[in-house]
Amino acid sequence: MNRRTFLIAASLTGVTALAGLTGCFGAAAGSNGSNAANGSSNSSSYQQVDAETAKELMDTEDDYVILDARTQAEYDEGHIPDAILIPHDTVATAAEDALPDKDQLILVYCRSGNRSKQASQTLVDLGYTNVVEFGGINSWPYEVE
């Protein structure tokens, strides 16, 4: 396979994979119709939303947890009010004690969005069914403490 054919095949593979992911996430990003907002869940993946949608969920939902996936030092420098700290590299061992309800809405963030994605996937792998990842505190325009 020459380089051009390889690049075209790789691009098509990426488009196919992306199309499959949009089926999993639906209209979650920036939408009021996300599974978290309407109470249904997808047990095979987590949803990704923007900060505005996450804030709306915090303002309208009653039973949720905000999970900060950063380090203790980062958390101490400032975090979203009421967030609990479970560093991304300890989620696999700490989540079940800290988050006993696997169907509860869990809103996950970190500094920039990388560790929150890892933590969210770990939660899903552990059987959590209502995980919403909303990126990093770097793009959080609301209150921190």
Side-chain angles (χ1 to χ4, degrees):
M1 177 181 300
N2 68 34
R3 182 183 167 121
R4 182 173 182 211
T5 304
F6 174 78
L7 291 174
I8 292 170
S11 295
L12 290 174
T13 302
V15 169
T16 303
L18 182 58
L21 286 176
T22 56
C24 291
F25 295 123
S31 167
N32 292 333
S34 72
N35 288 345
N38 68 24
S40 66
S41 62
N42 181 346
S43 62
S44 63
S45 69
Y46 60 91
Q47 293 185 10
Q48 292 178 282
V49 300
D50 58 18
E52 291 76 21
T53 303
K55 178 69 166 122
E56 184 176 319
L57 288 169
M58 292 173 196
D59 291 343
T60 59
E61 297 292 322
D62 292 326
D63 186 29
Y64 64 88
V65 171
I66 305 169
L67 190 155
D68 187 322
R70 299 176 301 156
T71 66
Q72 182 71 55
E74 289 172 307
Y75 181 88
D76 292 344
E77 288 176 4
H79 56 273
I80 295 173
D82 301 319
I84 64 167
L85 175 67
I86 304 178
H88 81 286
D89 57 354
T90 66
V91 169
T93 56
E96 291 187 351
D97 288 334
L99 306 166
D101 181 357
K102 290 193 174 189
D103 296 321
Q104 184 177 31
L105 174 59
I106 303 171
L107 301 163
V108 186
Y109 76 96
C110 64
R111 182 181 55 81
S112 65
N114 184 39
R115 290 175 286 177
S116 58
K117 287 175 180 52
Q118 294 173 29
S120 295
Q121 186 59 55
T122 299
L123 289 169
V124 168
D125 292 345
L126 291 170
Y128 289 86
T129 61
N130 202 3
V131 179
V132 176
E133 187 272 332
F134 65 96
I137 200 166
N138 286 351
S139 60
W140 182 253
Y142 308 103
E143 178 185 4
V144 296
E145 59 184 23

mmCIF file of all heavy atoms in Angstrom, residues 26-77:
data_model
loop_
_atom_site.group_PDB
_atom_site.id
_atom_site.type_symbol
_atom_site.label_atom_id
_atom_site.label_comp_id
_atom_site.label_asym_id
_atom_site.label_seq_id
_atom_site.Cartn_x
_atom_site.Cartn_y
_atom_site.Cartn_z
ATOM 1 N N GLY A 26 -24.603 10.791 21.035
ATOM 2 C CA GLY A 26 -25.797 11.479 20.588
ATOM 3 C C GLY A 26 -25.574 12.970 20.539
ATOM 4 O O GLY A 26 -24.548 13.451 20.110
ATOM 5 N N ALA A 27 -26.531 13.713 21.037
ATOM 6 C CA ALA A 27 -26.455 15.173 21.021
ATOM 7 C C ALA A 27 -26.033 15.702 22.375
ATOM 8 O O ALA A 27 -26.413 16.781 22.767
ATOM 9 C CB ALA A 27 -27.815 15.734 20.625
ATOM 10 N N ALA A 28 -25.245 14.939 23.112
ATOM 11 C CA ALA A 28 -24.924 15.308 24.489
ATOM 12 C C ALA A 28 -24.156 16.617 24.580
ATOM 13 O O ALA A 28 -24.467 17.451 25.406
ATOM 14 C CB ALA A 28 -24.118 14.199 25.164
ATOM 15 N N ALA A 29 -23.172 16.807 23.764
ATOM 16 C CA ALA A 29 -22.336 17.991 23.911
ATOM 17 C C ALA A 29 -23.145 19.250 23.623
ATOM 18 O O ALA A 29 -23.643 19.449 22.541
ATOM 19 C CB ALA A 29 -21.131 17.916 22.976
ATOM 20 N N GLY A 30 -23.278 20.066 24.649
ATOM 21 C CA GLY A 30 -23.971 21.321 24.497
ATOM 22 C C GLY A 30 -25.467 21.197 24.306
ATOM 23 O O GLY A 30 -26.105 22.123 23.867
ATOM 24 N N SER A 31 -26.046 20.074 24.635
ATOM 25 C CA SER A 31 -27.457 19.860 24.389
ATOM 26 C C SER A 31 -28.210 19.610 25.678
ATOM 27 O O SER A 31 -27.724 18.957 26.579
ATOM 28 C CB SER A 31 -27.616 18.644 23.465
ATOM 29 O OG SER A 31 -28.944 18.219 23.440
ATOM 30 N N ASN A 32 -29.422 20.094 25.732
ATOM 31 C CA ASN A 32 -30.268 19.795 26.880
ATOM 32 C C ASN A 32 -30.862 18.409 26.775
ATOM 33 O O ASN A 32 -31.472 17.932 27.713
ATOM 34 C CB ASN A 32 -31.401 20.825 26.984
ATOM 35 C CG ASN A 32 -30.867 22.183 27.351
ATOM 36 O OD1 ASN A 32 -29.827 22.284 27.984
ATOM 37 N ND2 ASN A 32 -31.551 23.223 26.949
ATOM 38 N N GLY A 33 -30.685 17.737 25.651
ATOM 39 C CA GLY A 33 -31.250 16.419 25.454
ATOM 40 C C GLY A 33 -30.291 15.299 25.801
ATOM 41 O O GLY A 33 -30.466 14.179 25.383
ATOM 42 N N SER A 34 -29.262 15.569 26.578
ATOM 43 C CA SER A 34 -28.314 14.521 26.923
ATOM 44 C C SER A 34 -28.962 13.485 27.804
ATOM 45 O O SER A 34 -29.955 13.738 28.478
ATOM 46 C CB SER A 34 -27.095 15.116 27.630
ATOM 47 O OG SER A 34 -27.440 15.526 28.928
ATOM 48 N N ASN A 35 -28.397 12.296 27.807
ATOM 49 C CA ASN A 35 -28.925 11.232 28.636
ATOM 50 C C ASN A 35 -28.932 11.608 30.101
ATOM 51 O O ASN A 35 -29.840 11.268 30.829
ATOM 52 C CB ASN A 35 -28.107 9.947 28.441
ATOM 53 C CG ASN A 35 -28.375 9.314 27.103
ATOM 54 O OD1 ASN A 35 -29.338 9.641 26.430
ATOM 55 N ND2 ASN A 35 -27.506 8.394 26.710
ATOM 56 N N ALA A 36 -27.915 12.308 30.563
ATOM 57 C CA ALA A 36 -27.863 12.696 31.969
ATOM 58 C C ALA A 36 -29.023 13.619 32.306
ATOM 59 O O ALA A 36 -29.607 13.523 33.371
ATOM 60 C CB ALA A 36 -26.534 13.384 32.282
ATOM 61 N N ALA A 37 -29.364 14.500 31.399
ATOM 62 C CA ALA A 37 -30.417 15.462 31.686
ATOM 63 C C ALA A 37 -31.791 14.820 31.694
ATOM 64 O O ALA A 37 -32.669 15.243 32.420
ATOM 65 C CB ALA A 37 -30.374 16.596 30.657
ATOM 66 N N ASN A 38 -31.989 13.786 30.885
ATOM 67 C CA ASN A 38 -33.319 13.208 30.844
ATOM 68 C C ASN A 38 -33.435 11.913 31.638
ATOM 69 O O ASN A 38 -34.463 11.257 31.597
ATOM 70 C CB ASN A 38 -33.795 13.029 29.393
ATOM 71 C CG ASN A 38 -33.011 11.970 28.643
ATOM 72 O OD1 ASN A 38 -32.435 11.062 29.234
ATOM 73 N ND2 ASN A 38 -33.000 12.073 27.326
ATOM 74 N N GLY A 39 -32.390 11.542 32.356
ATOM 75 C CA GLY A 39 -32.489 10.436 33.285
ATOM 76 C C GLY A 39 -32.134 9.083 32.723
ATOM 77 O O GLY A 39 -31.977 8.135 33.473
ATOM 78 N N SER A 40 -31.977 8.935 31.417
ATOM 79 C CA SER A 40 -31.564 7.643 30.900
ATOM 80 C C SER A 40 -30.056 7.570 30.905
ATOM 81 O O SER A 40 -29.371 8.558 31.094
ATOM 82 C CB SER A 40 -32.118 7.432 29.485
ATOM 83 O OG SER A 40 -31.532 8.346 28.596
ATOM 84 N N SER A 41 -29.504 6.385 30.722
ATOM 85 C CA SER A 41 -28.060 6.264 30.780
ATOM 86 C C SER A 41 -27.563 5.327 29.701
ATOM 87 O O SER A 41 -28.307 4.553 29.132
ATOM 88 C CB SER A 41 -27.637 5.753 32.160
ATOM 89 O OG SER A 41 -28.172 4.471 32.370
ATOM 90 N N ASN A 42 -26.283 5.400 29.461
ATOM 91 C CA ASN A 42 -25.627 4.544 28.493
ATOM 92 C C ASN A 42 -24.493 3.852 29.233
ATOM 93 O O ASN A 42 -23.524 4.479 29.588
ATOM 94 C CB ASN A 42 -25.106 5.405 27.337
ATOM 95 C CG ASN A 42 -24.436 4.590 26.276
ATOM 96 O OD1 ASN A 42 -24.121 3.418 26.478
ATOM 97 N ND2 ASN A 42 -24.202 5.206 25.138
ATOM 98 N N SER A 43 -24.633 2.565 29.470
ATOM 99 C CA SER A 43 -23.676 1.869 30.307
ATOM 100 C C SER A 43 -22.385 1.523 29.590
ATOM 101 O O SER A 43 -21.452 1.067 30.214
ATOM 102 C CB SER A 43 -24.321 0.597 30.878
ATOM 103 O OG SER A 43 -24.679 -0.262 29.824
ATOM 104 N N SER A 44 -22.292 1.760 28.279
ATOM 105 C CA SER A 44 -21.090 1.386 27.572
ATOM 106 C C SER A 44 -20.101 2.528 27.397
ATOM 107 O O SER A 44 -18.985 2.295 26.982
ATOM 108 C CB SER A 44 -21.447 0.793 26.203
ATOM 109 O OG SER A 44 -22.082 1.767 25.415
ATOM 110 N N SER A 45 -20.491 3.749 27.683
ATOM 111 C CA SER A 45 -19.565 4.862 27.553
ATOM 112 C C SER A 45 -20.042 6.011 28.433
ATOM 113 O O SER A 45 -21.117 5.979 29.001
ATOM 114 C CB SER A 45 -19.453 5.319 26.100
ATOM 115 O OG SER A 45 -20.650 5.924 25.672
ATOM 116 N N TYR A 46 -19.192 7.015 28.511
ATOM 117 C CA TYR A 46 -19.566 8.229 29.226
ATOM 118 C C TYR A 46 -19.949 9.289 28.207
ATOM 119 O O TYR A 46 -19.666 9.152 27.024
ATOM 120 C CB TYR A 46 -18.428 8.711 30.117
ATOM 121 C CG TYR A 46 -17.146 9.031 29.381
ATOM 122 C CD1 TYR A 46 -16.901 10.307 28.911
ATOM 123 C CD2 TYR A 46 -16.188 8.048 29.154
ATOM 124 C CE1 TYR A 46 -15.727 10.609 28.228
ATOM 125 C CE2 TYR A 46 -15.011 8.336 28.483
ATOM 126 C CZ TYR A 46 -14.794 9.613 28.021
ATOM 127 O OH TYR A 46 -13.637 9.905 27.352
ATOM 128 N N GLN A 47 -20.589 10.325 28.686
ATOM 129 C CA GLN A 47 -20.960 11.430 27.811
ATOM 130 C C GLN A 47 -20.001 12.587 28.021
ATOM 131 O O GLN A 47 -19.470 12.764 29.115
ATOM 132 C CB GLN A 47 -22.370 11.897 28.113
ATOM 133 C CG GLN A 47 -23.400 10.876 27.761
ATOM 134 C CD GLN A 47 -24.798 11.421 27.967
ATOM 135 O OE1 GLN A 47 -24.994 12.602 28.203
ATOM 136 N NE2 GLN A 47 -25.763 10.544 27.875
ATOM 137 N N GLN A 48 -19.814 13.360 26.990
ATOM 138 C CA GLN A 48 -18.998 14.563 27.071
ATOM 139 C C GLN A 48 -19.900 15.762 26.833
ATOM 140 O O GLN A 48 -20.695 15.761 25.888
ATOM 141 C CB GLN A 48 -17.889 14.547 26.029
ATOM 142 C CG GLN A 48 -16.840 13.490 26.307
ATOM 143 C CD GLN A 48 -15.789 13.486 25.225
ATOM 144 O OE1 GLN A 48 -16.021 12.966 24.151
ATOM 145 N NE2 GLN A 48 -14.652 14.092 25.522
ATOM 146 N N VAL A 49 -19.800 16.749 27.720
ATOM 147 C CA VAL A 49 -20.549 17.977 27.576
ATOM 148 C C VAL A 49 -19.612 19.152 27.825
ATOM 149 O O VAL A 49 -18.508 18.975 28.341
ATOM 150 C CB VAL A 49 -21.764 18.045 28.534
ATOM 151 C CG1 VAL A 49 -22.738 16.899 28.272
ATOM 152 C CG2 VAL A 49 -21.330 18.054 29.984
ATOM 153 N N ASP A 50 -20.060 20.337 27.488
ATOM 154 C CA ASP A 50 -19.257 21.523 27.761
ATOM 155 C C ASP A 50 -19.549 22.036 29.168
ATOM 156 O O ASP A 50 -20.450 21.541 29.860
ATOM 157 C CB ASP A 50 -19.491 22.591 26.692
ATOM 158 C CG ASP A 50 -20.947 23.019 26.586
ATOM 159 O OD1 ASP A 50 -21.743 22.774 27.516
ATOM 160 O OD2 ASP A 50 -21.309 23.609 25.548
ATOM 161 N N ALA A 51 -18.790 23.035 29.586
ATOM 162 C CA ALA A 51 -18.933 23.575 30.940
ATOM 163 C C ALA A 51 -20.332 24.141 31.171
ATOM 164 O O ALA A 51 -20.896 23.974 32.257
ATOM 165 C CB ALA A 51 -17.877 24.665 31.176
ATOM 166 N N GLU A 52 -20.893 24.782 30.178
ATOM 167 C CA GLU A 52 -22.216 25.375 30.327
ATOM 168 C C GLU A 52 -23.274 24.306 30.585
ATOM 169 O O GLU A 52 -24.153 24.477 31.435
ATOM 170 C CB GLU A 52 -22.575 26.201 29.087
ATOM 171 C CG GLU A 52 -21.743 27.465 28.926
ATOM 172 C CD GLU A 52 -20.314 27.223 28.427
ATOM 173 O OE1 GLU A 52 -20.031 26.152 27.828
ATOM 174 O OE2 GLU A 52 -19.464 28.103 28.667
ATOM 175 N N THR A 53 -23.197 23.205 29.865
ATOM 176 C CA THR A 53 -24.157 22.121 30.062
ATOM 177 C C THR A 53 -23.958 21.471 31.423
ATOM 178 O O THR A 53 -24.927 21.143 32.110
ATOM 179 C CB THR A 53 -24.033 21.081 28.930
ATOM 180 O OG1 THR A 53 -24.238 21.739 27.677
ATOM 181 C CG2 THR A 53 -25.048 19.967 29.087
ATOM 182 N N ALA A 54 -22.712 21.298 31.832
ATOM 183 C CA ALA A 54 -22.439 20.740 33.161
ATOM 184 C C ALA A 54 -23.015 21.637 34.247
ATOM 185 O O ALA A 54 -23.636 21.154 35.198
ATOM 186 C CB ALA A 54 -20.934 20.562 33.356
ATOM 187 N N LYS A 55 -22.833 22.943 34.108
ATOM 188 C CA LYS A 55 -23.375 23.893 35.089
ATOM 189 C C LYS A 55 -24.891 23.824 35.123
ATOM 190 O O LYS A 55 -25.517 23.858 36.192
ATOM 191 C CB LYS A 55 -22.901 25.305 34.756
ATOM 192 C CG LYS A 55 -23.448 26.381 35.670
ATOM 193 C CD LYS A 55 -22.880 26.278 37.069
ATOM 194 C CE LYS A 55 -23.175 27.545 37.850
ATOM 195 N NZ LYS A 55 -23.924 27.298 39.066
ATOM 196 N N GLU A 56 -25.501 23.685 33.963
ATOM 197 C CA GLU A 56 -26.955 23.554 33.902
ATOM 198 C C GLU A 56 -27.417 22.286 34.628
ATOM 199 O O GLU A 56 -28.415 22.314 35.354
ATOM 200 C CB GLU A 56 -27.424 23.540 32.444
ATOM 201 C CG GLU A 56 -28.935 23.514 32.303
ATOM 202 C CD GLU A 56 -29.384 23.596 30.853
ATOM 203 O OE1 GLU A 56 -28.797 24.372 30.093
ATOM 204 O OE2 GLU A 56 -30.333 22.873 30.508
ATOM 205 N N LEU A 57 -26.688 21.201 34.448
ATOM 206 C CA LEU A 57 -27.024 19.964 35.168
ATOM 207 C C LEU A 57 -26.899 20.180 36.673
ATOM 208 O O LEU A 57 -27.748 19.736 37.451
ATOM 209 C CB LEU A 57 -26.123 18.814 34.712
ATOM 210 C CG LEU A 57 -26.404 18.264 33.321
ATOM 211 C CD1 LEU A 57 -25.289 17.319 32.886
ATOM 212 C CD2 LEU A 57 -27.753 17.569 33.283
ATOM 213 N N MET A 58 -25.847 20.867 37.095
ATOM 214 C CA MET A 58 -25.653 21.144 38.521
ATOM 215 C C MET A 58 -26.790 21.992 39.081
ATOM 216 O O MET A 58 -27.188 21.832 40.231
ATOM 217 C CB MET A 58 -24.313 21.847 38.748
ATOM 218 C CG MET A 58 -23.112 20.994 38.470
ATOM 219 S SD MET A 58 -21.603 21.989 38.574
ATOM 220 C CE MET A 58 -20.439 20.918 37.743
ATOM 221 N N ASP A 59 -27.298 22.899 38.266
ATOM 222 C CA ASP A 59 -28.363 23.791 38.708
ATOM 223 C C ASP A 59 -29.743 23.145 38.686
ATOM 224 O O ASP A 59 -30.645 23.612 39.382
ATOM 225 C CB ASP A 59 -28.388 25.055 37.837
ATOM 226 C CG ASP A 59 -27.180 25.955 38.060
ATOM 227 O OD1 ASP A 59 -26.485 25.796 39.093
ATOM 228 O OD2 ASP A 59 -26.919 26.812 37.192
ATOM 229 N N THR A 60 -29.916 22.087 37.892
ATOM 230 C CA THR A 60 -31.250 21.507 37.731
ATOM 231 C C THR A 60 -31.408 20.116 38.324
ATOM 232 O O THR A 60 -32.523 19.713 38.627
ATOM 233 C CB THR A 60 -31.653 21.451 36.242
ATOM 234 O OG1 THR A 60 -30.708 20.658 35.525
ATOM 235 C CG2 THR A 60 -31.714 22.851 35.640
ATOM 236 N N GLU A 61 -30.326 19.376 38.468
ATOM 237 C CA GLU A 61 -30.403 18.027 39.018
ATOM 238 C C GLU A 61 -30.238 18.071 40.532
ATOM 239 O O GLU A 61 -29.586 18.964 41.074
ATOM 240 C CB GLU A 61 -29.323 17.131 38.403
ATOM 241 C CG GLU A 61 -29.467 16.924 36.916
ATOM 242 C CD GLU A 61 -30.688 16.102 36.539
ATOM 243 O OE1 GLU A 61 -31.015 15.133 37.259
ATOM 244 O OE2 GLU A 61 -31.325 16.443 35.534
ATOM 245 N N ASP A 62 -30.817 17.091 41.216
ATOM 246 C CA ASP A 62 -30.724 17.033 42.674
ATOM 247 C C ASP A 62 -29.670 16.051 43.167
ATOM 248 O O ASP A 62 -28.982 16.317 44.133
ATOM 249 C CB ASP A 62 -32.077 16.644 43.283
ATOM 250 C CG ASP A 62 -33.115 17.727 43.086
ATOM 251 O OD1 ASP A 62 -32.760 18.914 43.108
ATOM 252 O OD2 ASP A 62 -34.292 17.365 42.896
ATOM 253 N N ASP A 63 -29.574 14.924 42.523
ATOM 254 C CA ASP A 63 -28.723 13.844 43.020
ATOM 255 C C ASP A 63 -27.542 13.630 42.081
ATOM 256 O O ASP A 63 -27.633 12.879 41.117
ATOM 257 C CB ASP A 63 -29.550 12.564 43.158
ATOM 258 C CG ASP A 63 -28.760 11.447 43.807
ATOM 259 O OD1 ASP A 63 -27.851 11.729 44.615
ATOM 260 O OD2 ASP A 63 -29.046 10.270 43.504
ATOM 261 N N TYR A 64 -26.436 14.315 42.358
ATOM 262 C CA TYR A 64 -25.246 14.180 41.524
ATOM 263 C C TYR A 64 -24.003 14.365 42.384
ATOM 264 O O TYR A 64 -24.064 14.877 43.498
ATOM 265 C CB TYR A 64 -25.251 15.198 40.374
ATOM 266 C CG TYR A 64 -25.178 16.637 40.814
ATOM 267 C CD1 TYR A 64 -23.946 17.264 41.021
ATOM 268 C CD2 TYR A 64 -26.335 17.374 41.035
ATOM 269 C CE1 TYR A 64 -23.873 18.580 41.425
ATOM 270 C CE2 TYR A 64 -26.271 18.696 41.438
ATOM 271 C CZ TYR A 64 -25.040 19.290 41.633
ATOM 272 O OH TYR A 64 -24.970 20.590 42.042
ATOM 273 N N VAL A 65 -22.884 13.930 41.827
ATOM 274 C CA VAL A 65 -21.580 14.119 42.448
ATOM 275 C C VAL A 65 -20.693 14.803 41.426
ATOM 276 O O VAL A 65 -20.709 14.452 40.246
ATOM 277 C CB VAL A 65 -20.952 12.754 42.846
ATOM 278 C CG1 VAL A 65 -19.517 12.924 43.298
ATOM 279 C CG2 VAL A 65 -21.777 12.063 43.900
ATOM 280 N N ILE A 66 -19.916 15.781 41.889
ATOM 281 C CA ILE A 66 -18.898 16.402 41.044
ATOM 282 C C ILE A 66 -17.574 15.774 41.448
ATOM 283 O O ILE A 66 -17.187 15.840 42.609
ATOM 284 C CB ILE A 66 -18.840 17.925 41.251
ATOM 285 C CG1 ILE A 66 -20.208 18.551 41.023
ATOM 286 C CG2 ILE A 66 -17.791 18.544 40.319
ATOM 287 C CD1 ILE A 66 -20.290 20.007 41.472
ATOM 288 N N LEU A 67 -16.910 15.135 40.504
ATOM 289 C CA LEU A 67 -15.654 14.444 40.781
ATOM 290 C C LEU A 67 -14.501 15.206 40.149
ATOM 291 O O LEU A 67 -14.476 15.412 38.935
ATOM 292 C CB LEU A 67 -15.721 13.018 40.239
ATOM 293 C CG LEU A 67 -14.602 12.086 40.641
ATOM 294 C CD1 LEU A 67 -15.077 10.649 40.583
ATOM 295 C CD2 LEU A 67 -13.363 12.248 39.799
ATOM 296 N N ASP A 68 -13.563 15.615 40.967
ATOM 297 C CA ASP A 68 -12.340 16.284 40.529
ATOM 298 C C ASP A 68 -11.272 15.199 40.400
ATOM 299 O O ASP A 68 -10.941 14.526 41.374
ATOM 300 C CB ASP A 68 -11.936 17.329 41.566
ATOM 301 C CG ASP A 68 -10.772 18.198 41.132
ATOM 302 O OD1 ASP A 68 -9.833 17.680 40.491
ATOM 303 O OD2 ASP A 68 -10.782 19.390 41.471
ATOM 304 N N ALA A 69 -10.739 15.013 39.201
ATOM 305 C CA ALA A 69 -9.787 13.931 38.933
ATOM 306 C C ALA A 69 -8.333 14.399 38.969
ATOM 307 O O ALA A 69 -7.439 13.706 38.493
ATOM 308 C CB ALA A 69 -10.099 13.299 37.575
ATOM 309 N N ARG A 70 -8.086 15.559 39.572
ATOM 310 C CA ARG A 70 -6.727 16.107 39.631
ATOM 311 C C ARG A 70 -6.002 15.602 40.884
ATOM 312 O O ARG A 70 -6.487 14.740 41.601
ATOM 313 C CB ARG A 70 -6.790 17.639 39.634
ATOM 314 C CG ARG A 70 -7.453 18.197 38.381
ATOM 315 C CD ARG A 70 -7.598 19.706 38.436
ATOM 316 N NE ARG A 70 -8.395 20.106 39.593
ATOM 317 C CZ ARG A 70 -8.326 21.297 40.178
ATOM 318 N NH1 ARG A 70 -7.490 22.214 39.724
ATOM 319 N NH2 ARG A 70 -9.091 21.587 41.220
ATOM 320 N N THR A 71 -4.850 16.174 41.149
ATOM 321 C CA THR A 71 -4.075 15.825 42.340
ATOM 322 C C THR A 71 -4.576 16.615 43.544
ATOM 323 O O THR A 71 -5.285 17.619 43.391
ATOM 324 C CB THR A 71 -2.578 16.139 42.142
ATOM 325 O OG1 THR A 71 -2.441 17.568 42.024
ATOM 326 C CG2 THR A 71 -2.007 15.432 40.922
ATOM 327 N N GLN A 72 -4.168 16.188 44.725
ATOM 328 C CA GLN A 72 -4.538 16.902 45.949
ATOM 329 C C GLN A 72 -4.050 18.345 45.904
ATOM 330 O O GLN A 72 -4.787 19.269 46.261
ATOM 331 C CB GLN A 72 -3.954 16.199 47.175
ATOM 332 C CG GLN A 72 -4.328 16.851 48.499
ATOM 333 C CD GLN A 72 -5.787 16.653 48.859
ATOM 334 O OE1 GLN A 72 -6.261 15.536 48.915
ATOM 335 N NE2 GLN A 72 -6.509 17.744 49.109
ATOM 336 N N ALA A 73 -2.817 18.567 45.450
ATOM 337 C CA ALA A 73 -2.270 19.928 45.389
ATOM 338 C C ALA A 73 -3.091 20.812 44.455
ATOM 339 O O ALA A 73 -3.381 21.967 44.779
ATOM 340 C CB ALA A 73 -0.806 19.894 44.950
ATOM 341 N N GLU A 74 -3.477 20.285 43.302
ATOM 342 C CA GLU A 74 -4.295 21.056 42.363
ATOM 343 C C GLU A 74 -5.666 21.365 42.968
ATOM 344 O O GLU A 74 -6.177 22.479 42.847
ATOM 345 C CB GLU A 74 -4.475 20.285 41.052
ATOM 346 C CG GLU A 74 -3.220 20.189 40.215
ATOM 347 C CD GLU A 74 -3.399 19.256 39.045
ATOM 348 O OE1 GLU A 74 -3.821 18.098 39.246
ATOM 349 O OE2 GLU A 74 -3.107 19.698 37.910
ATOM 350 N N TYR A 75 -6.254 20.372 43.613
ATOM 351 C CA TYR A 75 -7.551 20.548 44.260
ATOM 352 C C TYR A 75 -7.475 21.646 45.315
ATOM 353 O O TYR A 75 -8.355 22.500 45.406
ATOM 354 C CB TYR A 75 -7.985 19.215 44.878
ATOM 355 C CG TYR A 75 -9.327 19.224 45.570
ATOM 356 C CD1 TYR A 75 -10.498 18.973 44.857
ATOM 357 C CD2 TYR A 75 -9.423 19.464 46.939
ATOM 358 C CE1 TYR A 75 -11.730 18.962 45.497
ATOM 359 C CE2 TYR A 75 -10.652 19.453 47.582
ATOM 360 C CZ TYR A 75 -11.799 19.200 46.861
ATOM 361 O OH TYR A 75 -13.024 19.182 47.485
ATOM 362 N N ASP A 76 -6.406 21.617 46.109
ATOM 363 C CA ASP A 76 -6.229 22.604 47.174
ATOM 364 C C ASP A 76 -6.064 24.025 46.635
ATOM 365 O O ASP A 76 -6.420 24.990 47.308
ATOM 366 C CB ASP A 76 -5.027 22.240 48.048
ATOM 367 C CG ASP A 76 -5.256 20.983 48.870
ATOM 368 O OD1 ASP A 76 -6.430 20.549 49.013
ATOM 369 O OD2 ASP A 76 -4.255 20.416 49.354
ATOM 370 N N GLU A 77 -5.547 24.157 45.422
ATOM 371 C CA GLU A 77 -5.368 25.478 44.809
ATOM 372 C C GLU A 77 -6.699 26.086 44.374
ATOM 373 O O GLU A 77 -6.803 27.292 44.212
ATOM 374 C CB GLU A 77 -4.437 25.382 43.605
ATOM 375 C CG GLU A 77 -2.999 25.135 43.980
ATOM 376 C CD GLU A 77 -2.106 24.944 42.765
ATOM 377 O OE1 GLU A 77 -2.577 25.082 41.613
ATOM 378 O OE2 GLU A 77 -0.924 24.631 42.972
#
